[in-house]
């Protein structure tokens, strides 16, 4: 059901598609890098599988190729960026670099972004801070698919939280998590395979627990992390709300049920409050040595990582991991072997290839 | 099983106890205010019930009354505070006020604290930012009671995240949540009442799900938010780890299993890495108008709050709430009626009253 492709060939294809949309070579390379990183790290829902979606948004006039994101207001440690309806894959690194530059001067930098679009995996942008010995933070709101605790209505996105923290000899700690019990991409995998969803991921149109992975298409909703009121679904709701407020309300982007959906065939919300436009993001960068010497911090991070990896596991066959371990292992494997794409993704990319006049690569021999 | 006490009488008693420990009147009032706020907001585990614990830590020499917390390093938007082994209830507002002062100048302020002690409810400190039209953030690590995903060992505290966000005509959004599925205080309530815990709160000494509220005393552990691997317990682990790293590793406080336990009768960890001392906290303050005009933000916050309160509920008898609603309703009620204390808490406070020579108030007539 899957075919394996070379990383370089997929990168070439993706860059060519973005160039056909009108992006310059360096912009196309930058945007493609975000998508490829998702596939490399095993977050298949946010990689090449999303490329046709970006093209459809562009065709629908919701992504502007000649956008000029800009800083519209700033203080020593903050900035407000207007994304000018640009591609989130480009707006986000632009904004993150401003946060990093602010942190160099003021110790920390915080950038809220309005009028943007889907920015790929949050972890990519947070990790940009690592090479500067900074802690990186990236948040975004997203299409409303999640029901708050006690709600029948879908009001929030899967609103991810990504934080990247440098270490010394050990690899960095990289958190990149949806604030829903499970992200929509996991449901899509079950839909393709025909399995049942674990109870706790979704509710049906009556607000009751269900294991039907198609419940979302039947008026159901994703559940916040915590799943049920008695196991803390109000906490997952709080986290998703926090991401929505920092990413959406703070910059003046769409928020709550008024976030413009990623899929172009869903209508844009008509009753959004004035001055709440596009998808919003929030980025942070904190210089480690704005608190104490970086080497002392990194030595303790190495201790943290080793102690947690060495924690007594429930099952000796499954050692305790640190955040980022699974994605790092996957990236090492896929850089060697190549990236597997499901046949439905390959079909969509071949359709895109024909429409855009960009040849799609052949799979590698296995 | 409960008796009702006047807020003023409990406040007087608490201040008198702190004064008997050697605190000046203004310090005693400040510390008492944090504990009373917990009882008023319905977070009974963190209010007067904790007062004997602070006294025991003081008697054990782990809280220094004549501590002088101080800034040991700073940049325009950051500071590192050494808590000098002081009472967390006092160190935390001191550090939060530095964050607020930094935010006035630089747009945001971020303060990491080492060598502190238990600071009460995180929400109290986050809410200090509200009167300045700032978003307030407060994190702390705590006694290791929580097992990471896949771990048998207790490695993390219930490590709370508190964020307070100002609104306009509506009350603020106040998030104050443990990153465990349920905080230890909820277990203590079940232990007193003799009930069973919902599955998803705790694991037993073999790492298996259990409903025994005494499992923690038998070698079990609290579970991270998400409860089980298939419903996202790795995400709750990530959040608790994030709080531990920002509060503990960043300032050079204890971290992971090396956080000094709140209860004085548990031994201090002997194998902590050098230079990792005391409990750690992390505070943030962000001026709303460091991003865009405060009035525009507050208008949108009011829209956010009203839209979420108006979301179609699963059960029309249980409307959707915004974060902070339950605690605000509880505070309004208790300011009127008084604060109920469980008989076991009353007994502990009467013992304390005798030991400290401070009369304990009579309950109010009901």
């Amino acid at each position: 059901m899957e075919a394996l492709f070379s990383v370089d060939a997929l990168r070439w294809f993706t860059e060519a598609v973005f160039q056909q949309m009108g992006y310059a070579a360096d912009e196309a390379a930058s945007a493609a890098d975000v998508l490829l990183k998702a596939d490399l790290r095993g977050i298949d829902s946010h990689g090449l599988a999303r490329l046709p979606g970006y093209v459809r948004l562009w065709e629908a006039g919701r992504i502007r190729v000649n956008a000029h994101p800009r800083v519209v207001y700033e203080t020593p440690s903050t900035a407000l960026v207007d994304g000018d309806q640009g591609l989130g894959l480009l707006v986000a690194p632009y904004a993150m670099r401003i946060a990093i530059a602010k942190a160099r001067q003021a110790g920390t930098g915080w950038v809220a972004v309005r009028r943007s679009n889907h920015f790929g995996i949050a972890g990519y942008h947070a990790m940009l801070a690592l090479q500067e010995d900074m802690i990186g933070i990236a948040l975004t709101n997203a299409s409303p698919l999640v029901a708050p605790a006690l709600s029948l209505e879908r009001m929030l996105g899967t609103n991810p939280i990504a934080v990247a923290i440098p270490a010394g000899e050990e690899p960095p700690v990289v958190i990149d998590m949806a604030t829903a019990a499970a992200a929509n991409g996991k449901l899509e995998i079950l839909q393709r395979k025909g399995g049942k969803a674990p109870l706790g991921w979704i509710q049906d149109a009556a607000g009751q627990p269900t294991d039907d992975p198609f419940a979302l298409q039947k008026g159901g909703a994703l559940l916040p992390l915590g799943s049920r009121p008695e196991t803390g679904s109000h906490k997952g709701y709080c986290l998703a709300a926090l991401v929505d407020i920092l990413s959406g309300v703070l910059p003046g982007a769409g928020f709550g049920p008024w976030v413009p959906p990623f899929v172009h065939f869903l209508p844009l919300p008509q009753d959004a409050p004035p001055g709440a436009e596009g998808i919003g993001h929030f980025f942070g960068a904190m210089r480690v040595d704005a608190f104490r010497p970086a080497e002392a911090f990194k030595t303790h991070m190495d201790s943290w990582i080793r102690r947690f990896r060495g924690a007594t596991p429930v099952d000796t066959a499954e050692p305790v991991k640190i955040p980022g371990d699974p994605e790092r292992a996957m990236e090492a494997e896929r850089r060697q072997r190549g990236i597997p794409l499901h046949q439905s993704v390959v079909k969509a990319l071949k359709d895109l290839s024909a429409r855009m006049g960009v040849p799609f690569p052949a799979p590698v021999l296995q």
Side-chain angles (χ1 to χ4, degrees), chain A:
Chain A
M1 309 296 274
E2 285 182 343
L4 206 58
F5 292 84
S6 111
V7 180
D8 287 345
L10 290 183
R11 188 180 296 275
W12 183 92
F13 172 76
T14 310
E15 292 186 11
V17 168
F18 281 121
Q19 287 184 316
Q20 284 296 88
M21 289 165 71
Y23 287 102
D26 61 332
E27 293 173 322
S30 178
D33 197 48
V34 185
L35 293 185
L36 264 294
K37 192 75 169 178
D39 280 314
L40 283 167
R41 290 172 72 78
I43 311 167
D44 300 352
S45 56
H46 283 57
L48 274 270
R50 284 274 169 88
L51 184 58
Y54 290 102
V55 175
R56 278 196 307 263
L57 278 182
W58 165 67
E59 288 169 337
R62 284 176 49 196
I63 288 176
R64 293 182 52 205
V65 171
N66 292 313
H68 293 286
R70 65 197 173 90
V71 172
V72 291
Y73 186 72
E74 60 187 319
T75 74
S77 74
T78 67
L80 173 66
V81 162
D82 187 310
D84 198 25
Q85 230 180 298
L87 186 66
L89 303 171
L90 296 173
V91 174
Y94 167 83
M96 187 68 199
R97 285 194 189 96
I98 293 168
I100 289 169
K102 295 262 174 202
R104 274 193 213 109
Q105 299 296 319
T108 69
W110 306 87
V111 177
V113 181
R114 68 185 180 206
R115 297 183 69 231
S116 185
N117 274 289
H118 195 282
F119 75 9
I121 51 167
Y124 181 94
H125 312 299
M127 285 191 286
L128 292 177
L130 291 174
Q131 60 216 30
E132 314 272 342
D133 275 359
M134 294 180 187
I135 296 170
I137 297 160
L139 316 174
T140 188
N141 60 17
S143 318
L145 297 174
V146 177
L150 308 178
S151 171
L152 199 61
E153 230 181 313
R154 306 196 291 219
M155 300 286 285
L156 290 160
T158 51
N159 297 2
I161 295 174
V163 184
I165 301 159
E169 296 168 2
E170 298 294 338
V173 166
V174 180
I175 296 165
D176 187 1
M177 52 173 270
T179 50
N184 198 29
K186 290 201 178 173
L187 275 188
E188 289 168 359
I189 292 168
L190 287 178
Q191 290 163 6
R192 287 197 289 261
K193 292 188 180 165
K196 294 283 178 197
L199 286 180
W201 288 16
I202 20 179
Q203 66 185 23
D204 65 18
Q208 301 307 309
T210 177
D211 60 5
D212 176 5
F214 293 95
L216 221 55
Q217 287 85 333
K218 300 169 187 167
L222 292 173
L223 291 170
L225 179 60
S227 299
R228 292 173 299 139
E230 64 269 34
T231 48
S233 59
H234 58 289
K235 299 182 182 189
Y237 163 38
C238 281
L239 293 168
L242 174 61
V243 173
D244 192 43
I245 291 169
L246 293 180
S247 305
V249 182
L250 190 56
F255 52 84
W258 297 302
V259 174
F262 180 69
V263 287
H264 83 294
F265 52 82
L266 279 183
L268 285 173
Q270 293 305 310
D271 57 344
E277 288 182 66
I279 280 181
H281 319 307
F282 185 78
F283 302 100
M286 298 197 283
R287 246 172 52 211
V288 164
D289 67 2
F291 295 92
R292 63 177 178 135
E295 287 315 307
F297 171 80
K298 289 181 178 182
T299 301
H300 277 165
M301 276 307 296
D302 285 346
S303 300
W304 193 97
I305 291 165
R306 290 166 188 159
R307 183 66 184 87
F308 276 74
R309 283 220 185 105
T312 311
V314 173
D315 173 352
T316 49
E318 282 205 88
V320 174
K321 299 176 184 76
I322 65 154
D325 273 347
E327 295 84 358
R328 193 162 30 246
M330 182 66 86
E331 181 164 353
E333 181 193 317
R334 290 189 171 181
R335 281 196 186 278
Q336 282 283 331
R337 288 184 59 230
I339 291 173
L341 296 179
H342 189 270
Q343 61 182 11
S344 64
V345 173
V346 171
K347 183 180 176 312
L349 292 174
K350 283 185 174 167
D351 291 351
L352 187 66
S353 154
R355 257 187 16 250
M356 303 296 282
V358 173
F360 188 69
V364 294
L365 295 177
Q366 293 184 54

